[in-house]
Amino acid sequence: MALQGVLRPGFVQIRILDMEESLVHYRDRLGLDFVGKSEDGRVYLKAYDEFDRHSIILRETDEAGMDVMGFKVSDDSLLDDYARRLSDLGAEVSAVEAGEQPGVGRRVRFLSPTGHQFDLYADMELSDNGPMTENPDLWREEPHGMGALRFDHCLLYGVDIDGTAKLFTEALDFSISEYAAAPDDTKIAVFLTCSNKAHDIALVRHTEDAKFHHCSFLLDNWNDVGHAADILTRYDMSVDIGPTRHGITRGQTIYFFDPSGNRNEVFAGGYHYYPDNPTRTWTADQAGKAIFYYERALNDRFMGVVT
Amino acid sequence: MPVFDDRGEGVLRAMERAGRAEIPVGCRNGGCGACKVLVLNGKYRLGKISRLHITKFEEQEGYALACRLYPETDIEVRPVGSLLHRAPG
Ligand code: FES
Ligand SMILES: [Fe+2]
């Protein structure tokens, strides 16, 4: 089967406390390109290897966290079908008008049982600063900062992760690539994919809903993860853990916080997933290795700190 | 034992550099609430914080986030952060 339907995570809108500091972080440190600012003050950015107009939206307010995560769908004609399937499963579905974000078409919005907002959309303008397409060089301008290639996925925390996972699998045709479960089979963490990636979204069970654990950006290789670590120390940025590797997804990773306390990840590697692959599973006694393959132990901060 | 914020980095980073672990360290940037404290006495300034964790009312009561807490005199604080109520792992 060719890749159709829900294609990938396309954008995430993050709440930040201070726009100037956040711009230094996302533009100069992560290495995103500034796209523009809308009249309501939101700032739009993109990674150098993304074709679409923007992928990261920063909204200044007095709370940190995530407003909404958007998934791009292959064709506008699929949106109404997804909306129907979502509401048949009990999700609250609404419509977001074209142009609410500059250059973006109409969106179908739904609220998940874990209290997170997601959007589906099929149209976004192409960037005039996207990857070259004719006799393409690697990039138009050499990557700066950590050199993030693309916005890749989010990890979200909430109570009923089974309910949210069910919307993604049954209404949006995602697969569960991997999960970790307690001895009584309660799922602690679920990794879902709509593509060839090991995950496009992950969910972890938590005592509070609507929590944001991290948004993640793809780097080219393990050396670039090391370079990201060099930047984190040079600019005295707040590091969570890493460089290390995940047992789950096998990604090589480092975690850190933006100036408003939202967690970011940059990572490289991980396996490829195909829809016929069996689901990989982890038992709770191996959760340390599942999350941090080298440390083989969880840390309180990774498990408990969210925005 | 007192800890000195001699670089003006705020209470949490000063504690971390002094190797003191009484206040849980989360994002260090005012977003997560892990480092929530009650200031018992002294004068201080509070930087930008997420209002999910300290309401304006709590701020008046003396609650603060240690990572955005800048002492102007000697102060005394008591940790009340969210990580404290969670079992390890
Ligand atoms: S450590 Fe996150 S708010 Fe202070
Ligand atoms: Fe991740």
Side-chain angles (χ1 to χ4, degrees):
Chain A
M1 182 205 81
L3 186 56
Q4 285 170 12
V6 181
L7 300 174
R8 62 175 176 273
F11 68 77
V12 61
Q13 180 166 310
I14 302 165
R15 295 189 294 268
I16 47 99
L17 305 174
D18 183 290
M19 189 58 81
E20 277 316 304
E21 286 180 9
S22 302
L23 259 178
V24 169
H25 177 89
Y26 285 97
R27 181 191 55 206
D28 304 342
R29 306 295 177 249
L30 267 161
L32 306 180
D33 292 322
F34 177 84
V35 174
K37 192 170 188 166
S38 52
E39 260 166 36
D40 58 14
R42 283 181 294 173
V43 162
Y44 301 79
L45 301 137
K46 76 178 275 294
Y48 78 85
D49 211 31
E50 291 173 323
F51 285 103
D52 285 353
R53 182 185 181 276
H54 60 255
S55 58
I56 301 298
I57 305 122
L58 303 175
R59 184 170 73 88
E60 190 178 64
T61 177
D62 61 0
E63 288 179 5
M66 182 188 90
D67 279 333
V68 55
M69 177 181 184
F71 288 90
K72 191 166 190 192
V73 169
S74 57
D75 197 288
D76 185 84
S77 64
L78 299 171
L79 290 177
D80 296 329
D81 188 40
Y82 284 130
R84 189 185 43 75
R85 290 167 70 184
L86 286 161
S87 61
D88 283 353
L89 287 168
E92 200 181 293
V93 179
S94 56
V96 181
E97 273 178 32
E100 193 275 336
Q101 289 176 17
V104 181
R106 71 177 180 120
R107 285 133 66 191
V108 166
R109 172 161 291 182
F110 66 99
L111 186 66
S112 74
T114 45
H116 299 98
Q117 282 199 127
F118 297 102
D119 284 354
L120 305 171
Y121 65 99
D123 295 308
M124 190 187 295
E125 274 172 18
L126 284 177
S127 170
D128 51 17
N129 190 31
M132 296 164 72
T133 51
E134 192 179 334
N135 303 320
D137 278 308
L138 298 182
W139 17 258
R140 288 175 193 275
E141 271 174 50
E142 61 275 27
H144 60 281
M146 296 180 190
L149 280 106
R150 68 161 184 246
F151 162 51
D152 189 88
H153 65 267
C154 289
L155 169 55
L156 306 174
Y157 272 38
V159 178
D160 181 14
I161 59 171
D162 300 310
T164 298
K166 187 175 167 181
L167 291 184
F168 278 94
T169 54
E170 292 184 15
L172 304 178
D173 302 324
F174 280 54
S175 309
I176 295 180
S177 56
E178 204 152 355
Y179 69 84
D184 67 358
D185 229 31
T186 311
K187 290 194 177 71
I188 309 165
V190 184
F191 293 72
L192 296 132
T193 176
C194 60
S195 66
N196 254 176
K197 289 153 59 186
H199 66 323
D200 288 295
I201 179 169
L203 307 165
V204 165
R205 193 176 300 279
H206 188 59
T207 50
E208 269 179 291
D209 273 334
K211 290 296 173 188
F212 178 63
H213 187 274
H214 69 265
C215 60
S216 183
F217 300 86
L218 181 70
L219 301 183
D220 222 8
N221 58 56
W222 183 223
N223 275 342
D224 286 355
V225 177
H227 181 60
D230 294 339
I231 290 175
L232 289 165
T233 295
R234 165 61 183 86
Y235 294 102
D236 198 23
M237 295 161 70
S238 177
V239 174
D240 184 6
I241 186 166
T244 182
R245 185 197 278 278
H246 293 303
I248 298 179
T249 74
R250 298 190 204 147
Q252 298 158 319
T253 177
I254 184 163
Y255 286 99
F256 51 96
F257 296 97
D258 82 0
S260 311
N262 297 303
R263 192 186 277 93
N264 295 160
E265 172 185 41
V266 290
F267 81 105
Y271 57 79
H272 292 97
Y273 177 84
Y274 286 88
D276 64 330
N277 291 171
T279 298
R280 294 159 160 97
T281 63
W282 294 81
T283 52
D285 61 312
Q286 296 292 308
K289 198 164 99 175
I291 304 291
F292 300 124
Y293 195 68
Y294 299 149
E295 292 78 4
R296 283 166 271 167
L298 296 170
N299 73 7
D300 279 2
R301 182 161 55 225
F302 189 84
M303 295 316 291
V305 168
V306 287
T307 53
Chain B
M1 282 287 290
V3 169
F4 297 96
D5 180 21
D6 44 9
R7 295 194 200 170
E9 307 171 310
V11 168
L12 191 69
R13 284 198 180 220
M15 293 281 285
E16 268 198 281
R17 269 194 303 111
R20 295 275 295 269
E22 290 95 325
I23 306 177
V25 179
C27 65
R28 302 183 188 86
N29 285 337
C32 75
C35 68
K36 190 167 175 176
V37 293
L38 178 61
V39 186
L40 303 173
N41 52 57
K43 281 207 163 84
Y44 58 90
R45 188 174 64 76
L46 201 53
K48 285 199 175 166
I49 56 168
S50 179
R51 288 289 165 196
L52 276 180
H53 304 293
I54 309 267
T55 61
K56 296 259 182 200
F57 177 73
E58 284 180 301
E59 183 177 342
Q60 279 158 20
E61 297 285 288
Y63 287 96
L65 296 177
C67 61
R68 292 282 159 95
L69 175 58
Y70 306 96
E72 287 168 344
T73 62
D74 286 351
I75 63 168
E76 224 180 319
V77 302
R78 182 196 305 150
V80 293
S82 56
L83 280 185
L84 295 174
H85 309 303
R86 195 161 287 133

